[in-house]
Amino acid sequence: SQTIHQWPATLVQPVGSPLSLECTVEGTSNPNLYWYRQAAGRGLQLLFYSVGIGQISSEVPQNLSASRPQDRQFILSSKKLLLSDSGFYLCAWCGFTLAYGYTFGSGTRLTVV
Amino acid sequence: QQQVKQSPQSLIVQKGGISIINCAYENTAFDYFPWYQQFPGKGPALLIAIRPDVSEKKEGRFTISFNKSAKQFSLHIMDSQPGDSATYFCAATFQGAQKLVFGQGTRLTINP
């Protein structure tokens, strides 16, 4: 069966520090991968998605970047964190089609101090 | 045209009551409408989904009602329980799309 792993679960980082969040999927190949951010009590904001290795689509211009170095690995990065980067970061995957929706990871709570 | 509008933003229901969350869309190409349930500190999980060839889908206490002509769909939670307290997101997509379009979310609280 397919599983999605996301880590770390929580992270406290100072302003100006770098960020690297990793997401991996097991049990499938060539998944579509997504990074979402959720501010406290708010909706789901799509940040990036990828339909293949090295293919990244950016939805919102910001202080973040994404990379997909391997088929089932998706990384969210920042060179210098801002206070406004705080939030709940979610990785998700789906198969070749969206016929069955997304499966989300358990999320990373990022607090920038 | 890609938006999905969800209401209400928050909802309080007494235990045993019916919770109703509504969503509306504009894009007639949408052909898959999932609902996600998210508990605090967790990722959203697929709850139930419907395609426009049916007007209703029921799974246990959860029912999706779909009105194609009105371009609306809704989630009904019968006999609501405190354990149903969560944030619910509707979404939509179409065949060949690369992403879901989410509603803004509804925070549901079931009072015991």
Side-chain angles (χ1 to χ4, degrees):
Chain A
S1 63
Q2 302 92 354
T3 55
I4 180 168
H5 301 279
Q6 193 179 340
W7 67 92
T10 59
L11 192 59
V12 179
Q13 292 284 98
V15 169
S17 64
L19 173 73
S20 180
L21 302 181
E22 187 167 342
C23 172
T24 59
V25 180
E26 295 179 354
T28 188
S29 59
N30 197 30
N32 287 357
L33 296 170
Y34 306 83
W35 278 113
Y36 281 83
R37 178 169 61 196
Q38 189 175 27
R42 304 294 296 276
L44 300 165
Q45 180 187 33
L46 179 61
L47 302 176
F48 302 94
Y49 69 95
S50 172
V51 299
I53 296 174
Q55 301 178 56
I56 308 295
S57 296
S58 175
E59 289 289 301
V60 181
Q62 61 213 325
N63 188 39
L64 302 169
S65 62
S67 62
R68 184 170 177 174
Q70 301 181 43
D71 181 44
R72 290 168 288 178
Q73 184 185 31
F74 204 22
I75 298 173
L76 182 69
S77 303
S78 174
K79 292 182 179 178
K80 290 185 178 181
L81 284 169
L82 306 172
L83 288 174
S84 57
D85 291 323
S86 294
F88 191 47
Y89 288 82
L90 290 156
C91 181
W93 78 274
C94 73
F96 177 70
T97 74
L98 281 164
Y100 302 98
Y102 294 165
T103 299
F104 283 90
S106 53
T108 295
R109 173 74 60 192
L110 172 66
T111 304
V112 182
V113 296
Chain B
Q1 193 180 18
Q2 285 290 87
Q3 285 186 328
V4 175
K5 295 182 179 180
Q6 183 173 346
S7 61
Q9 196 169 9
S10 62
L11 179 63
I12 299 174
V13 175
Q14 292 300 116
K15 178 182 176 182
I18 302 174
S19 303
I20 302 174
I21 303 170
N22 300 299
C23 286
Y25 64 97
E26 291 294 325
N27 190 344
T28 56
F30 286 150
D31 61 4
Y32 178 67
F33 303 88
W35 285 88
Y36 286 81
Q37 179 187 54
Q38 184 184 27
F39 294 108
K42 305 294 184 182
L46 181 63
L47 182 64
I48 188 173
I50 196 168
R51 299 187 190 279
D53 52 342
V54 296
S55 60
E56 186 175 281
K57 182 174 181 179
K58 184 176 181 179
E59 291 185 1
R61 297 184 293 107
F62 299 89
T63 300
I64 300 178
S65 296
F66 185 79
N67 187 329
K68 189 174 182 178
S69 61
K71 292 185 285 187
Q72 295 176 348
F73 58 109
S74 59
L75 176 69
H76 296 236
I77 306 175
M78 311 300 288
D79 187 26
S80 299
Q81 299 297 311
D84 298 329
S85 297
T87 298
Y88 292 81
F89 292 95
C90 63
T93 191
F94 56 88
Q95 191 173 15
Q98 295 179 334
K99 56 188 176 182
L100 292 173
V101 178
F102 283 96
Q104 297 84 348
T106 297
R107 177 175 288 183
L108 174 65
T109 302
I110 308 300
N111 284 336

